[in-house]
């Protein structure tokens, strides 16, 4: 369970969220996208386009050729008596591929998105299509989301319940802006919210679902709006990895010459 604290305007957390889903598409994983803000279909249409391996190989080839050319020119300039001394590497030129690379200026092709199975949960549609649920002291929206997730995990055989499904696949779950008012949660509105335990109960059950299935989940939360630090501590304890994104947009650091090469800070909380 990866928990991302959104930056103030949600620009970079949204990008991180889309990277996670795009990597799932390229790897052929099943996707489950949940949101109360933006329709999941629109989120998937906005995924960044992957850079294909051959394109990257060509770029790396060009780079290597440029380095060799520079080396040759340097050797012409350097005095002969220094030529045989070991040359210090200014930067490592070896290339280790990790994951895939994406061009955020282009959108992923619809054909590529359709090549994987994906499921969407848009809260407004769910609330209008089904009657109100009775649950044990949990927000109705969270209860519906858990029920939907449980159904997908079970039907897809991600929990090993389907012996017919021999080929193992991974379910990638993305939940956008959890804990916001759009989910019917009041933890962002007050220091002493009425519904103080819904989010932690939801994460506790979600973590149980992830533990017993082949699935990975990213959750973004507008942490800067949550004033109650005890809630944030509980949420952190219920997550495996916690990262915080701090954007310099609108802050004094945006114009500070010390930070001119950076867009913000990446905090690894846990």
């Amino acid at each position: 369970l990866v928990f991302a604290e959104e930056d103030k305007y949600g620009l970079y957390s949204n990008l991180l969220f889309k990277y996670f889903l795009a990597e799932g598409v390229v790897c052929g994983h099943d996707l489950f996208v949940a949101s109360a803000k933006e329709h999941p279909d629109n989120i998937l249409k906005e995924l960044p386009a992957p850079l294909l391996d051959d394109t990257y190989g060509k770029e790396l080839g060009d780079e290597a050729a440029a380095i060799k050319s520079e080396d040759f020119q340097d050797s012409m300039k350097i005095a002969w008596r220094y030529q045989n001394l070991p040359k210090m590497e200014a930067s490592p030129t070896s290339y280790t591929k990790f994951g895939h690379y994406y061009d955020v200026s282009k959108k992923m092709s619809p054909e590529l998105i359709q090549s994987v199975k994906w499921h969407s949960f848009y809260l407004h549609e769910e609330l209008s299509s089904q009657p109100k649920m009775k649950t044990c002291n949990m927000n109705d929206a969270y209860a519906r989301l858990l029920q939907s997730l449980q159904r997908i995990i079970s039907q897809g055989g991600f929990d090993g319940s389907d012996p017919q499904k021999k080929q193992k696949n991974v379910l990638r779950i993305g939940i956008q802006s959890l804990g916001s008012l759009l989910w019917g949660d009041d933890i962002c509105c007050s220091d002493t919210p009425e519904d103080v335990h819904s989010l932690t109960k939801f994460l506790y059950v979600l973590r149980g679902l992830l533990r017993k299935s082949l699935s990975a989940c990213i959750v973004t939360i507008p942490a800067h709006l949550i004033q109650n630090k005890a809630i944030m501590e509980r949420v952190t304890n219920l997550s495996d990895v916690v990262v915080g994104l701090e954007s310099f947009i609108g802050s004094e650091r945006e114009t500070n010459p010390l930070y001119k090469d950076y867009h913000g800070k990446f905090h690894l909380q846990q």
Side-chain angles (χ1 to χ4, degrees):
L1 177 59
V2 178
F3 164 70
E5 297 177 3
E6 294 178 5
D7 49 298
K8 201 172 176 183
Y9 299 106
L11 295 173
Y12 296 102
S13 56
N14 200 21
L15 196 58
L16 187 70
F17 187 75
K18 286 175 180 174
Y19 271 147
F20 177 83
L21 297 173
E23 188 69 13
V25 173
V26 174
C27 294
H29 297 159
D30 285 21
L31 301 182
F32 180 95
V33 188
S35 178
K37 180 170 69 172
E38 197 179 349
H39 200 289
D41 294 5
N42 295 335
I43 293 171
L44 288 167
K45 281 176 192 166
E46 295 289 320
L47 295 185
L51 288 165
L52 299 171
D53 290 348
D54 55 345
T55 315
Y56 239 78
K58 183 179 178 297
E59 284 179 18
L60 287 162
D62 292 348
E63 203 175 303
I67 290 166
K68 278 182 186 168
S69 169
E70 278 173 29
D71 286 356
F72 177 72
Q73 285 170 6
D74 286 350
S75 70
M76 296 294 283
K77 290 174 195 167
I78 297 171
W80 64 270
R81 63 198 175 104
Y82 294 125
Q83 258 186 345
N84 295 326
L85 287 176
K87 188 180 174 186
M88 296 300 289
E89 285 286 347
S91 63
T93 51
S94 62
Y95 170 63
T96 309
K97 191 169 186 296
F98 181 80
H100 297 88
Y101 296 85
Y102 300 90
D103 183 349
V104 290
S105 65
K106 293 175 186 167
K107 293 185 180 75
M108 190 179 279
S109 69
E111 295 79 33
L112 190 55
I113 296 167
Q114 293 304 327
S115 69
V116 298
K117 264 192 189 174
W118 53 274
H119 316 271
S120 64
F121 180 96
Y122 185 47
L123 184 61
H124 303 296
E125 286 178 355
E126 297 290 327
L127 291 173
S128 58
S129 65
Q130 293 175 22
K132 191 172 172 62
M133 289 175 66
K134 284 184 182 175
T135 52
C136 175
N137 301 328
M138 194 191 285
N139 176 324
D140 185 43
Y142 295 161
R144 287 172 190 268
L145 179 52
L146 281 173
Q147 190 184 52
S148 183
L149 258 173
Q150 206 157 9
R151 190 178 68 248
I152 299 299
I153 286 171
S154 175
Q155 287 175 357
F158 296 105
D159 55 356
S161 61
D162 186 1
Q164 304 300 317
K165 202 172 172 70
K166 289 193 173 114
Q167 191 186 354
K168 298 284 184 193
N169 200 359
V170 175
L171 178 67
R172 273 188 189 237
I173 303 159
I175 305 171
Q176 193 181 49
S177 288
L178 202 69
S180 72
L181 197 59
L182 294 167
W183 285 97
D185 205 333
D186 62 345
I187 57 168
C188 289
C189 314
S190 163
D191 285 353
T192 53
E194 288 176 33
D195 197 9
V196 72
H197 296 301
S198 260
L199 180 62
T200 45
K201 278 182 182 175
F202 169 81
L203 289 173
Y204 189 78
V205 181
L206 172 66
R207 192 167 171 158
L209 283 173
L210 296 174
R211 286 285 175 277
K212 69 171 192 136
S213 62
L214 282 169
S215 52
C217 177
I218 189 169
V219 175
T220 71
I221 296 189
H224 59 283
L225 298 176
I226 301 172
Q227 303 305 314
N228 190 320
K229 297 300 170 204
I231 292 174
M232 286 309 299
E233 280 179 24
R234 286 183 210 132
V235 167
T236 300
N237 290 335
L238 285 165
S239 306
D240 297 308
V241 176
V242 180
V243 296
L245 298 169
E246 179 195 341
S247 169
F248 292 161
I249 296 169
S251 75
E252 58 183 27
R253 285 178 177 157
E254 191 178 18
T255 51
N256 188 326
L258 286 172
Y259 294 106
K260 69 180 192 308
D261 296 331
Y262 304 97
H263 297 290
K265 282 183 177 177
F266 183 90
H267 301 276
L268 184 60
Q269 318 278 31
Q270 177 172 291

